[in-house]
Amino acid sequence: MITSLLNKAFIFFVLSLVAFISISVNAQANNEQEVDDLSAGYEWYIGAKGYFYHKVKPFNRPHRDADDIRIFAGLRYNKLVSQDWLFDTDIRAVYQVRNGLNPIEEDDATFLEVKKLKFVKENLFDSLYWKAELGRKRLTSRDSWLYDDEIDFIELSRQSTLLSFDIFAAKWLWDGRLGAGYNALDDEQRIESSGSRYLGVELDYTWHFRHHFQVSYLFEDFENPRAEIDDEFNAQTFVHDSRLSWLRLGLYGEKKLTNIALNYWFDLATVFGERNISAFDELNTTQEQSIESSYAYRLGFSLVPENMQVSMMAGYDVASGDEQLTDDSILYIQPYVASNRRKMLGMQKRRMYGEVVAPRLSNLTVFYVSTAYAFSAQHWFEISYFHYRQRKALTNTFQFRENILSSGLSDELGWGLDLSWAREFQSNLLIESTLGYFKAGDAFDGILERDEGYRIYLNMIKRW
């Protein structure tokens, strides 16, 4: 069955590539017309993306690899509906085939996906600095560390040279897909049917040229739609609901050295509040847990020479650890809407903690180093190394792509390696890919029959 799906995926990619090449030739001959079309306020695009995920395998447990292929065609459109009101949308039609994602065997779906549908009010309060937005879009915090998801929202913001201010309220009124069944959704997308609510405030002050101080607050009122799915412990289902707040203080910026740009960042965060979790001593009951005095921090830098050919970066991210199932805990956990996606050095926005593992920063230390070579500003190759350790050797606090508990006898979780490549052609054709590898550490001794895994991601998109 996997072979059949891979054959179909290969055919889809080949057909898409042929279409891209033919369109690229036409696009080059009509480049001036493209500019006119974009200035008219709309952009058509087609694309294909997918992955193959070869998973680590536990002993004595059914386990299978997973793959997903999506072909899509979309339209981005914006129009001034009055002097200060802008309508902005991004809608695509998607055909998807996926395999090996529990609880399904194989499934395909065709649906419409609303990526963005919003109204923007410029010159709010008769000021060029203020604006308001209403509708659906992807709300994203810096490095996606607090939030990064498509959600229904209302936002008020002020942008000026030295100070920016944002406040928003958001809630999933629907999952943004028309005609897509439950099996067509990823785990993150299934959470989007929960109706969870968010309130966010962010202030960014430029205290010196290219140097910023940031304060962010996020409140999450979360209801887990998957809480009753499994009777056994599951890191994605044991939290029934939560009411948590995050406070982040950040310093980031860029310092120009001789022929080199030094970029730096330092973030310090804490979470506090209550959540209801499964009580394993009694059937179908929950216990309330209070979280306070938890902390996490991120520290890193990058060096980018003026010629941009060879660059490098390093980072060290830490989150406090504690037992999951205590009444009072100092365990740091991330919001459900955090995706930990950012541009490392190249032009790709990808998982900053590794493509295969993609962990939540909780009871965890991640050290990562990356280097990239730029053939040009539109053509990058990048390699990244990750090392994972628990702050405390515990069985149930490592949250990553797989619902596999570590032994709790060692804090060594393993290491990963990502190879990424991206190129954007003059004809508005973008191709990007990441190959990730993970080798499990001593924390999984006696648990994994296969302690290696890899994940291949490929995305192609053509705009005109």
Side-chain angles (χ1 to χ4, degrees):
M1 186 175 296
I2 294 178
T3 302
S4 174
L5 185 62
L6 289 176
N7 288 336
K8 287 187 284 186
F10 176 75
I11 293 172
F12 290 148
F13 279 123
V14 170
L15 290 176
S16 299
L17 187 58
V18 170
F20 287 149
I21 293 173
S22 64
I23 292 173
S24 299
V25 173
N26 292 331
Q28 290 176 350
N30 298 282
N31 188 56
E32 293 185 2
Q33 183 62 43
E34 282 188 337
V35 175
D36 292 339
D37 289 344
L38 291 175
S39 64
Y42 64 88
E43 177 184 72
W44 295 95
Y45 62 90
I46 61 173
K49 67 178 181 178
Y51 66 81
F52 176 77
Y53 182 18
H54 183 69
K55 305 178 182 181
V56 296
K57 185 180 185 303
F59 285 104
N60 304 319
R61 184 168 131 185
H63 205 66
R64 39 182 318 169
D65 295 334
D67 39 65
D68 185 307
I69 174 68
R70 303 183 190 190
I71 308 297
F72 54 88
L75 170 66
R76 296 174 59 191
Y77 175 78
N78 60 71
K79 180 179 177 59
L80 281 173
V81 294
S82 68
Q83 182 177 355
D84 295 325
W85 281 94
L86 175 72
F87 173 70
D88 191 11
T89 187
D90 183 356
I91 300 176
R92 63 175 60 172
V94 181
Y95 174 66
Q96 171 185 287
V97 181
R98 56 177 19 184
N99 183 69
L101 297 174
N102 294 327
I104 63 175
E105 294 293 322
E106 180 174 344
D107 200 10
D108 64 333
T110 303
F111 54 91
L112 287 178
E113 184 176 19
V114 180
K115 306 289 289 182
K116 180 168 60 177
L117 184 66
K118 66 174 183 175
F119 289 91
V120 181
K121 174 66 169 75
E122 302 281 358
N123 300 320
L124 192 66
F125 310 130
D126 292 325
S127 170
L128 296 175
Y129 300 123
W130 287 92
K131 72 174 181 179
E133 298 185 47
L134 171 68
R136 168 173 281 257
K137 74 169 184 178
R138 177 170 290 274
L139 287 174
T140 305
S141 62
R142 180 168 55 87
D143 296 341
S144 303
W145 203 46
L146 285 182
Y147 50 90
D148 179 17
D149 213 331
E150 291 156 6
I151 194 168
D152 306 293
F153 76 104
I154 182 169
E155 180 181 43
L156 177 67
S157 62
R158 182 187 188 276
Q159 304 290 330
S160 66
T161 304
L162 298 180
L163 181 69
S164 66
F165 170 81
D166 294 274
I167 181 170
F168 68 84
K171 178 179 180 178
W172 284 301
L173 302 177
W174 64 310
D175 63 18
R177 295 156 186 88
L178 300 172
Y182 190 74
N183 287 341
L185 305 179
D186 297 325
D187 286 334
E188 295 89 349
Q189 295 168 342
R190 292 173 183 179
I191 289 175
E192 294 175 9
S193 63
S194 66
S196 300
R197 297 174 295 175
Y198 294 88
L199 175 65
V201 180
E202 186 168 272
L203 182 120
D204 191 299
Y205 175 65
T206 304
W207 60 273
H208 189 66
F209 181 61
R210 292 179 175 171
H211 298 272
H212 299 258
F213 171 69
Q214 188 177 71
V215 180
S216 304
Y217 169 81
L218 179 71
F219 172 73
E220 178 182 70
D221 184 357
F222 174 71
E223 298 176 8
N224 195 342
R226 304 189 61 199
E228 305 297 337
I229 290 180
D230 297 318
D231 292 330
E232 64 181 28
F233 179 88
N234 187 314
Q236 297 173 337
T237 63
F238 87 105
V239 177
H240 282 239
D241 56 82
S242 61
R243 294 157 302 282
L244 299 174
S245 294
W246 285 262
L247 179 64
R248 172 169 80 166
L249 305 179
L251 290 171
Y252 70 99
E254 178 182 277
K255 174 68 174 178
K256 286 291 186 179
L257 306 176
T258 304
N259 300 322
I260 295 178
L262 168 65
N263 297 280
Y264 68 91
W265 59 91
F266 174 72
D267 291 293
L268 177 64
T270 185
V271 58
F272 51 91
E274 289 78 35
R275 60 180 184 170
N276 289 313
I277 58 179
S278 298
F280 292 94
D281 54 345
E282 297 183 37
L283 187 63
N284 297 325
T285 61
T286 62
Q287 68 184 66
E288 185 173 89
Q289 180 184 71
S290 176
I291 296 180
E292 58 184 20
S293 302
S294 66
Y295 67 89
Y297 63 84
R298 304 175 58 237
L299 176 65
F301 70 93
S302 67
L303 294 173
V304 182
E306 283 186 355
N307 61 23
M308 296 183 60
Q309 284 194 323
V310 179
S311 53
M312 65 86 64
M313 69 169 289
Y316 186 67
D317 293 17
V318 176
S320 59
D322 202 351
E323 294 282 354
Q324 284 273 26
L325 307 176
T326 59
D327 291 337
D328 299 294
S329 177
I330 63 168
L331 178 69
Y332 183 86
I333 55 178
Q334 287 191 274
Y336 284 94
V337 285
S339 70
N340 298 325
R341 295 173 60 89
R342 61 163 293 185
K343 290 182 180 179
M344 304 286 277
L345 289 169
M347 54 194 295
Q348 262 185 290
K349 188 177 181 182
R350 56 191 183 86
R351 301 282 185 177
M352 68 180 183
Y353 297 143
E355 178 68 22
V356 178
V357 178
R360 316 288 289 177
L361 194 65
S362 181
N363 186 30
L364 187 64
T365 295
V366 184
F367 168 74
Y368 50 97
V369 60
S370 180
T371 185
Y373 182 82
F375 301 93
S376 69
Q378 293 78 35
H379 189 190
W380 286 76
F381 176 78
E382 187 174 356
I383 181 170
S384 302
Y385 169 82
F386 307 88
H387 184 253
Y388 312 99
R389 295 184 64 178
Q390 285 186 307
R391 297 298 306 282
K392 296 182 179 181
L394 299 171
T395 62
N396 56 15
T397 58
F398 183 42
Q399 299 181 29
F400 66 120
R401 288 193 189 274
E402 297 303 304
N403 182 42
I404 300 174
L405 305 184
S406 59
S407 66
L409 302 177
S410 172
D411 61 5
E412 286 290 340
L413 296 169
W415 59 273
L417 192 69
D418 282 2
L419 304 176
S420 299
W421 171 81
R423 183 171 183 180
E424 186 170 4
F425 297 86
Q426 291 183 352
S427 55
N428 289 330
L429 167 63
L430 172 66
I431 303 178
E432 56 183 8
S433 180
T434 296
L435 169 61
Y437 172 81
F438 171 65
K439 173 70 172 179
D442 294 343
F444 293 99
D445 283 353
I447 294 175
L448 296 179
E449 178 181 346
R450 183 174 67 217
D451 62 358
E452 297 176 299
Y454 63 85
R455 195 173 190 268
I456 305 171
Y457 169 79
L458 177 64
N459 177 44
M460 300 185 293
I461 186 166
K462 171 69 179 77
R463 304 182 184 276
W464 73 95

